[in-house]
Amino acid sequence: MDPITMEGDFCGSDYEKEEDDEATNHLRDRFRLSTIAIAESEAKQNNMEISQPVMVCISDLAFKYAEQLAEDLELFAHHASRKSVNMNDVILSAHRNKHLADTLRSFSYDLKGKEPQSEKKRKKSSNKEDKTLPSVLHIDS
């Protein structure tokens, strides 16, 4: 940090970066264990053997892919001026894989169909619509 211009990192940022790195390493390790377990299970089901270095390579590639996907999703949401990722962002991320995009769209429609009616978003009626009601109601008998 330049003491004159006060530019650069403040003391807490090194600690925060270290915590982020620890969290990332922890996630990478958990991810690696999960992908290795899946690879071993698939290999066993198909009567195959996969060497440890190949499994580690597969898990590292999958983790890097997941990191890139997360960055893309964040950028899509940011571009749409949103703070959270939605299903359309996930479908957009699969645009290079038509089969995956179609599967995600189908899954999205299924989820929307199973969503309880009361939880679906409703458009709020505007105050203008409320004011169009007559102030006097005539009942014919």
Side-chain angles (χ1 to χ4, degrees), residues 56-139:
V56 169
C57 183
I58 289 170
S59 68
D60 286 344
L61 287 172
F63 187 79
K64 287 177 183 174
Y65 177 78
E67 282 182 318
Q68 185 62 52
L69 178 62
E71 288 175 19
D72 289 347
L73 293 173
E74 186 178 5
L75 287 172
F76 294 155
H78 179 72
H79 181 72
S81 301
R82 287 183 275 106
K83 292 183 179 182
S84 60
V85 172
N86 66 24
M87 189 65 180
N88 291 330
D89 298 324
V90 176
I91 293 169
L92 181 61
S93 72
H95 73 280
R96 287 190 179 106
N97 185 336
K98 184 175 175 7
H99 176 70
L100 178 59
D102 291 344
T103 302
L104 288 170
R105 271 190 208 92
S106 176
F107 181 71
S108 173
Y109 295 143
D110 289 347
L111 284 178
K112 287 179 183 176
K114 292 178 182 177
E115 188 175 278
Q117 189 68 24
S118 62
E119 292 182 17
K120 287 186 178 178
K121 292 183 180 177
R122 297 181 191 167
K123 289 185 178 179
K124 294 181 181 179
S125 61
S126 67
N127 290 339
K128 189 175 184 180
E129 289 175 8
D130 293 341
K131 292 179 182 176
T132 60
L133 296 175
S135 56
V136 177
L137 182 61
H138 298 283
I139 302 176

Side-chain angles (χ1 to χ4, degrees), residues 37-55:
I38 291 168
E40 287 174 341
S41 173
E42 288 296 315
K44 186 176 181 180
Q45 270 186 334
N46 294 304
N47 296 322
M48 298 175 66
E49 289 185 27
I50 301 177
S51 67
Q52 250 346 81
V54 170
M55 281 194 274

